[in-house]
Amino acid sequence: LSTAALSIRGAPVRAWPPLREGGQWAIGTALGLYFTPAVLFDLDGTLLETVPDLARSAERMLAELRLPSLGEAAVATFVGRGIAVLVERCLKASGRQPDAAQLDAARAIFERCYAEESGVRSHPYPGVEEGLRRLADAGLAMGIVTNKAARFTDDLVRRMGWEGRFGVVVSGDTLSVRKPDPGPVLHACKALGVIPAQTLMIGDSVHDVEAAHAAGCAAWCVPYGYNEGQPVEALPCERLVPDLAVAAALVLDGAAP
């Protein structure tokens, strides 16, 4: 048995067998080494620290509704399932049991506030820029799969100067379903021309892991995100990585997903 030697933009990769699917190299194994041609990322809590802007928007919403303040730490535990869930959790934590009309009104206030606050304080986590650069330089396809609404996702991608860096961006309203449903992950794989078994998902929450596994992808997690206030160490991911620079190094070194 011999290995096939590959070079992706100057980065040596060993893989066996040299399979292709949708124009991308498939994961192969050679003496325990792997090549992953596509990596998907969650946004909030994985690529970007967005809680300061989300919390500020939530505090403004609560103030307009004459409800008590919650604080940034509490709002951080509500992040991960989209704005509608975040708003509902904020209202309930402030002592209100909202009906549908109250939820709609509160969401409208939050979205107005977040349109003004989003991106003001948000920033990439340490290691993100380096990790994305290394993966891009090696020729790997990359995508974002988030539960955040497209108008906010697209604005953040633009503010970070990431236009054109990702081959696909799947937002919370791109499809009729969102994570932990596998649909958004499968949609991203199809757009990138890879099969799920060749694809790695990196996130920070149980929703990322469940969506990835249900789609047939491997899942790695970072420890600094939100995960609704629960310990990330308990997640059933294949690997816990300290940051995306380390994750990129592991992927390019052929670490098993």
Side-chain angles (χ1 to χ4, degrees), residues 14-138:
R14 291 193 299 170
W16 182 272
L19 302 176
R20 284 184 181 272
E21 174 71 23
Q24 295 285 349
W25 284 97
I27 286 180
T29 61
L31 304 179
L33 297 181
Y34 294 76
F35 177 54
T36 304
V39 182
L40 304 176
F41 301 95
D42 173 53
L43 185 64
D44 299 66
T46 301
L47 293 176
L48 297 179
E49 165 65 284
T50 56
V51 157
D53 293 336
L54 290 166
R56 174 60 181 159
S57 303
E59 293 298 282
R60 288 179 57 183
M61 173 193 72
L62 293 172
E64 286 195 35
L65 296 172
R66 298 185 178 181
L67 292 172
S69 172
L70 295 174
E72 185 173 306
V75 174
T77 66
F78 303 152
V79 175
R81 301 197 67 178
I83 286 176
V85 173
L86 186 151
V87 168
E88 182 177 11
R89 289 173 171 175
C90 284
L91 296 182
K92 289 181 176 179
S94 296
R96 177 171 292 181
Q97 296 298 319
D99 58 27
Q102 291 171 327
L103 278 175
D104 288 343
R107 179 174 177 174
I109 295 171
F110 179 92
E111 290 187 349
R112 169 170 50 80
C113 296
Y114 192 49
E116 299 171 359
E117 302 289 347
S118 179
V120 174
R121 305 162 195 82
S122 296
H123 57 85
Y125 286 102
V128 166
E129 295 287 8
E130 178 185 348
L132 294 179
R133 177 186 55 78
R134 291 196 63 185
L135 293 174
D137 287 348

Side-chain angles (χ1 to χ4, degrees), residues 178-194:
R178 60 181 63 190
K179 297 178 297 184
D181 189 283
V185 176
L186 293 171
H187 182 82
C189 290
K190 183 176 181 180
L192 294 177
V194 296

